[in-house]
Amino acid sequence: NAAQDIIQSSEYWTTAVGWHTDNGGAPTLIKWIEDGKPTDILNQLKNLPEYIEYKNDKYNILLCHSGSKKDWLWDRSHFYKNEELPEGLIIIYGHTPVNYMTAMANLPYANGKIYWHNNHQKLNIDLETANSNKAALINLDTLKPIYFTEKGIDK
């Protein structure tokens, strides 16, 4: 199919695009291209940064996928041993649902909430929304979570 050929062309293919398509994103990209949307979206995916920096009054915050400075996208080894991080740095990430992460690393159960670990320098916000129907947003200035369900804000 022409859309699949575009996605797999060497002009667009990168590890990031590959992981996106391998993890369920292929139908979305194919539909996007078949609907005549610009294929520049593939270049945008290809050029996304591995992390984004944010500073509030107190902390330097890194937002990334895996939570590990060893590999910002896929590493999970940091669950088992604290990574040494500079004072004042906080890493906020997802990638692995909190309940799965805590079970893997034999950490206290999170009870469907965001999870601070690594000496309170890492925050996992992955609540496995597809199965739990619950999501969390973090106010980056206060570091306070706001929880949502399909009914709205969860107080």
Side-chain angles (χ1 to χ4, degrees):
N1 144 341
Q4 287 175 324
D5 291 343
I6 290 171
I7 291 170
Q8 293 178 353
S9 75
S10 61
E11 179 182 357
Y12 297 114
W13 193 256
T14 64
T15 302
V17 172
W19 278 107
H20 178 74
T21 57
D22 290 348
N23 284 288
T28 301
L29 286 176
I30 289 168
K31 179 80 169 117
W32 178 272
I33 292 167
E34 288 174 348
D35 286 352
K37 304 282 196 240
T39 55
D40 188 52
I41 189 77
L42 297 170
N43 277 329
Q44 292 174 28
L45 285 173
K46 183 169 98 174
N47 295 317
L48 287 174
E50 290 184 338
Y51 62 87
I52 296 172
E53 297 179 62
Y54 181 85
K55 284 187 176 198
N56 66 21
D57 291 338
K58 196 172 179 183
Y59 298 105
N60 293 321
I61 299 170
L62 297 180
L63 304 158
C64 67
H65 185 242
S66 81
S68 174
K69 64 182 186 174
K70 185 169 114 181
D71 174 358
W72 296 114
L73 296 175
W74 306 113
D75 183 54
R76 288 188 171 114
S77 67
H78 66 104
F79 300 158
Y80 304 98
K81 181 181 177 195
N82 287 344
E83 286 186 310
E84 189 172 321
L85 300 173
E87 189 174 324
L89 176 66
I90 291 177
I91 298 174
I92 300 175
Y93 69 97
H95 180 47
T96 303
V98 168
N99 290 339
Y100 180 68
M101 177 197 84
T102 55
M104 280 176 27
N106 201 28
L107 296 168
Y109 181 65
N111 200 24
K113 302 283 185 190
I114 62 171
Y115 196 82
W116 286 97
H117 65 106
N118 202 94
N119 300 318
H120 211 77
Q121 285 189 279
K122 291 189 177 188
L123 177 59
N124 183 340
I125 63 170
D126 187 336
L127 299 182
E128 196 176 14
T129 303
N131 292 322
S132 71
N133 294 315
K134 188 175 189 178
L137 294 178
I138 304 301
N139 179 320
L140 295 178
D141 292 321
T142 65
L143 297 175
K144 302 273 186 229
I146 303 168
Y147 294 97
F148 294 87
T149 68
E150 66 261 2
K151 295 176 183 172
I153 294 177
D154 188 16
K155 302 200 181 202

